[in-house]
Amino acid sequence: MKKIITILIVIACFSCKNNQQDNGKLNVVTTTTMITDLVKNIGGDDINIQGLMGSGVDPHLYKASEGDVTKLVEANVIFYNGLHLEGKLVEVFEKMGTATKTPIALGEELDKRTLIGSDYFASNYDPHVWFDIKYFSQFAKKVTQVLSEKDPEHAVNFKANETVYLAKLEALEVKIKAIIETLPQEKRILVTAHDAFNYFGKAYDFEVVGLQGLSTATEAGVQDVQKLSAFIIEKNIKAIFVESSVPKRTIEALQAAVKSKGHDVEIGGTLYSDALGSAGTTEGTYIGMFEYNVKTIVQALK
Ligand code: ZN
């Protein structure tokens, strides 16, 4: 694998097709749609940005294409989530590191003592940190710092954009807290396809259960389905949720298992977990996605 990556990087260097624009602006490459949206908000018109992953793309399983490697080689700055979220890109990023271009793993910048531990990931931490708005605000500050170092001429603009964006994130926090408060404590149990919502649960006092565990790289077994269906019946849970970046058959199998035991559970809707909605829609932004998820969860569980 290591050899293939090196070869890809070499090929990309020789066949630089100028994917990136040569307009004097920083060329920034990002991975997930959440990070792409964040960096767009801070960088504004003063950067060129290319997000590798689109809407509905699962970052746990995403592999770099030859085109991606070219974009990465040509980039001035690379931002990614890290904490082994992008499990199959880690090696590529490690190869990319040079004195002038170090890919920035935003998750690695957080205070590790406050993160949720996990044995599953090589990082030893649950990587789904963007579901705590406080951490996403810290991402914003780091992005501002890095862009300002790389392009000091536009640092004033980046700082101004950061101020505006942080205020929006604060407003989002207030808004969703008010929505969640309408849901009684005993109904705050969130069952989804995989464990993306642990930070969300910690921040807003939900019990969170994912059918496939922390990564989609492992499939749910029959035993998991049986265990979780018994839990749903015992706790009298009204609804369970599909995720936009995970095939819905796993959640449908769970619903069928509950039904086979003579009970009923609704599919409460599709949540955006590891990817935002389509570009150009409200759910295609981090803020829109968060509000949509909270409204969907609260409405279905009430
Ligand atoms: Zn995930």
Side-chain angles (χ1 to χ4, degrees), residues 111-263:
D111 181 353
K112 297 272 174 63
R113 292 166 302 179
T114 67
L115 299 185
I116 297 172
S118 159
D119 293 337
Y120 182 83
F121 289 92
S123 64
N124 295 319
Y125 298 101
D126 179 340
H128 302 88
V129 287
W130 61 92
F131 278 118
D132 188 326
I133 296 171
K134 165 179 94 231
Y135 291 138
F136 204 66
S137 302
Q138 283 173 253
F139 277 21
K141 289 176 189 166
K142 182 68 188 178
V143 167
T144 306
Q145 183 206 322
V146 172
L147 292 181
S148 302
E149 281 165 11
K150 296 273 179 185
D151 181 7
E153 257 182 61
H154 293 99
V156 176
N157 296 358
F158 300 143
K159 189 70 195 169
N161 293 342
E162 182 205 71
T163 305
V164 170
Y165 195 59
L166 289 179
K168 284 183 184 173
L169 291 179
E170 258 176 56
L172 172 70
E173 181 84 289
V174 171
K175 196 170 184 181
I176 60 173
K177 269 190 179 152
I179 299 171
I180 290 169
E181 266 167 29
T182 66
L183 187 66
Q185 183 61 53
E186 71 274 12
K187 291 194 174 179
R188 293 189 199 176
I189 305 177
L190 183 60
V191 179
T192 59
H194 90 299
D195 261 343
F197 293 94
N198 288 320
Y199 290 98
F200 176 84
K202 195 177 165 194
Y204 304 108
D205 225 353
F206 274 77
E207 184 175 349
V208 175
V209 191
L211 182 56
Q212 275 177 270
L214 276 171
S215 170
T216 53
T218 47
E219 287 255 348
V222 178
Q223 261 197 330
D224 303 320
V225 172
Q226 288 310 321
K227 257 209 280 233
L228 193 46
S229 61
F231 175 80
I232 289 166
I233 293 163
E234 186 203 318
K235 299 274 182 180
N236 199 20
I237 296 169
K238 229 182 105 187
I240 55 180
F241 300 89
V242 174
E243 290 173 37
S244 64
S245 53
V246 184
K248 55 179 186 187
R249 62 172 188 275
T250 54
I251 281 296
E252 285 170 347
L254 182 58
Q255 185 186 36
V258 172
K259 279 198 172 148
S260 75
K261 291 177 176 148
H263 292 262

Side-chain angles (χ1 to χ4, degrees), residues 8 25 37 43 47-48 52 71 82 89 95-96 101 116 140 145 153 165 209 227 246 253 274 276 295 301:
L8 271 175
K25 297 178 185 179
D37 180 46
I47 60 167
N48 303 316
L52 298 185
K71 286 175 195 165
L89 292 182
K95 288 268 170 198
M96 286 285 152
K101 176 166 61 189
I116 297 172
Q145 183 206 322
E153 257 182 61
Y165 195 59
V209 191
K227 257 209 280 233
V246 184
D274 292 3
L276 301 177
K295 282 182 175 164
L301 293 180

